Amino acid sequence: MFSQALVVRADSIARHLETVFLFTKNDVRTTLIPVTIFALSAAHKYDPVHAWQAPLWIWLHLLQFNIANQIQDPEEDRKNKPSRPIPAGRISVDSAADIRWVMVPVCLMLSLWYGTQALLASTVFAVLTIWYNELNGDKMGLSKNVLTAILYGCLEVGGTIAAGSCNSCIDKAGALAVALSSTAFATTLHAQDFKDEEGDRLTGRRTLPTIFPKAARFSMMVGIPLWSFGLSYIWKLDTLSTAAFIAYGAFVGSRFVMYNTVGADKQSCKFYSVSRNITWEHIEVKLTMYLYQLWYSLGHLLPGYWRFFYGV
């Protein structure tokens, strides 16, 4: 009897843990891994012993945001993303909301352990999570881009501090890396909105591609190679690597203008992320986003390049 009850309890715990993980599953490769790479690359006093703490800090904050986001419109998820925990029936909206608000003090207390900078990043993250989700900050294209970029920057700050040695903080180079990464993200984030442009128009969601379709595409063609050049110059990339990074950025950016159908947008995204296992299903559905993610992920490595060859 006791062993049977123990097995049942273990199964129940495993199911609950799986449910919690499923809230963040889709963002492991697109957010958790890239931001962890950035944190390990940008950390001033990188400590291998503390390296695992960076993804833990990032994941807990990502969980806070994702639950807040997924309790807003479960009916939409039921139609478009039925595998998420709420539409799949693994947890109720009320129970998810309870976890969402419990995560705020949990994240704040964890951040307090790492010092003032991490606590400030966690506080800003919590406030902007409310703005983005409960106050509908994601409904406008420009507001969505700015909020998402700042939230992303908060994850980078906290992860970078957690990856360092005890009582570490972000130095000038790390702060510059976060600022550049967040700004680049804010000015190119609408890359992922092109593939959903038709659906956004039907639902009335205002994104940059629906508000300024031609300007949004032109901004990608100009912005990505310009950012490639700027980041290469700032982080003192060698000539060959600079040329390759700029050429790749020009290739990615030009596709948004040269191939302006929904199918082409999905194809253009393939090379954006090194953080996904690309299958033919992914190629058919979200190839455009992958192009952009690969370019952005490569940019995450540049602060580490500078620290290795020029920094401390």
Side-chain angles (χ1 to χ4, degrees):
M1 288 292 292
F2 176 76
S3 60
Q4 185 177 9
L6 191 61
V7 170
V8 171
R9 178 61 61 87
D11 288 343
S12 177
I13 293 174
R15 177 178 171 80
H16 290 322
L17 291 176
E18 183 183 8
T19 298
V20 171
F21 170 74
L22 288 175
F23 278 110
T24 61
K25 179 183 178 181
N26 291 338
D27 291 318
V28 168
R29 295 188 180 102
T30 60
T31 303
L32 179 61
I33 292 177
V35 176
T36 299
I37 292 173
F38 175 91
L40 300 179
S41 178
H44 173 46
K45 295 180 179 179
Y46 170 69
D47 186 349
V49 176
H50 295 156
W52 63 270
Q53 297 180 28
L56 175 63
W57 192 97
I58 296 165
W59 181 78
L60 288 173
H61 285 77
L62 190 61
L63 177 63
Q64 177 189 157
F65 178 87
N66 281 11
I67 296 178
N69 182 260
Q70 292 176 31
I71 63 177
Q72 299 307 310
D73 194 351
E75 289 303 318
E76 181 179 348
D77 282 349
R78 218 177 300 278
K79 298 176 183 177
N80 300 323
K81 299 173 182 178
S83 62
R84 285 181 169 180
I86 294 175
R90 299 180 67 97
I91 188 173
S92 68
V93 174
D94 290 340
S95 296
D98 290 340
I99 299 174
R100 179 259 184 276
W101 292 111
V102 167
M103 289 306 302
V104 176
V106 168
C107 290
L108 289 174
M109 287 188 290
L110 174 66
S111 301
L112 182 62
W113 176 264
Y114 294 104
T116 304
Q117 288 184 341
L119 179 61
L120 178 60
S122 183
T123 302
V124 173
F125 188 90
V127 171
L128 294 186
T129 294
I130 295 173
W131 186 355
Y132 187 100
N133 294 295
E134 280 81 6
L135 301 181
N136 299 319
D138 63 326
K139 300 305 181 185
M140 290 292 294
L142 184 59
S143 171
K144 176 183 177 181
N145 279 25
V146 173
L147 287 174
T148 303
I150 299 175
L151 285 162
Y152 204 86
C154 290
L155 293 178
E156 292 176 336
V157 170
T160 301
I161 294 172
S165 59
C166 293
N167 300 318
S168 67
C169 60
I170 289 187
D171 62 352
K172 291 182 179 180
L176 176 62
V178 171
L180 290 172
S181 175
S182 298
T183 307
F185 196 48
T187 54
T188 60
L189 177 61
H190 52 285
Q192 64 185 343
D193 293 327
F194 288 110
K195 67 184 188 311
D196 300 322
E197 185 175 349
E198 292 182 2
D200 288 338
R201 290 185 186 279
L202 291 174
T203 59
R205 180 172 296 166
R206 295 171 63 84
T207 63
L208 290 181
T210 61
I211 301 172
F212 308 109
K214 292 184 178 179
R217 290 185 180 278
F218 184 77
S219 71
M220 298 301 295
M221 184 181 71
V222 175
I224 291 181
L226 279 180
W227 271 114
S228 300
F229 171 77
L231 292 173
S232 299
Y233 177 79
I234 291 171
W235 299 118
K236 299 182 179 181
L237 209 58
D238 64 84
T239 303
L240 182 60
S241 298
T242 296
F245 193 41
I246 294 174
Y248 180 76
F251 166 69
V252 175
S254 64
R255 287 191 61 90
F256 288 97
V257 174
M258 294 173 60
Y259 307 100
N260 54 13
T261 65
V262 173
D265 286 331
K266 290 178 179 178
Q267 185 178 6
S268 296
C269 251
K270 173 189 173 184
F271 302 101
Y272 184 83
S273 179
V274 292
S275 309
R276 305 237 353 170
N277 294 321
I278 299 175
T279 65
W280 285 112
E281 289 77 10
H282 290 134
I283 291 175
E284 290 294 330
V285 177
K286 294 183 178 178
L287 215 47
T288 303
M289 186 61 190
Y290 300 151
L291 266 168
Y292 171 69
Q293 288 178 330
L294 174 57
W295 173 80
Y296 192 63
S297 296
L298 290 173
H300 279 163
L301 297 173
L302 300 188
Y305 175 94
W306 180 86
R307 287 203 185 277
F308 184 81
F309 287 104
Y310 305 102
V312 291

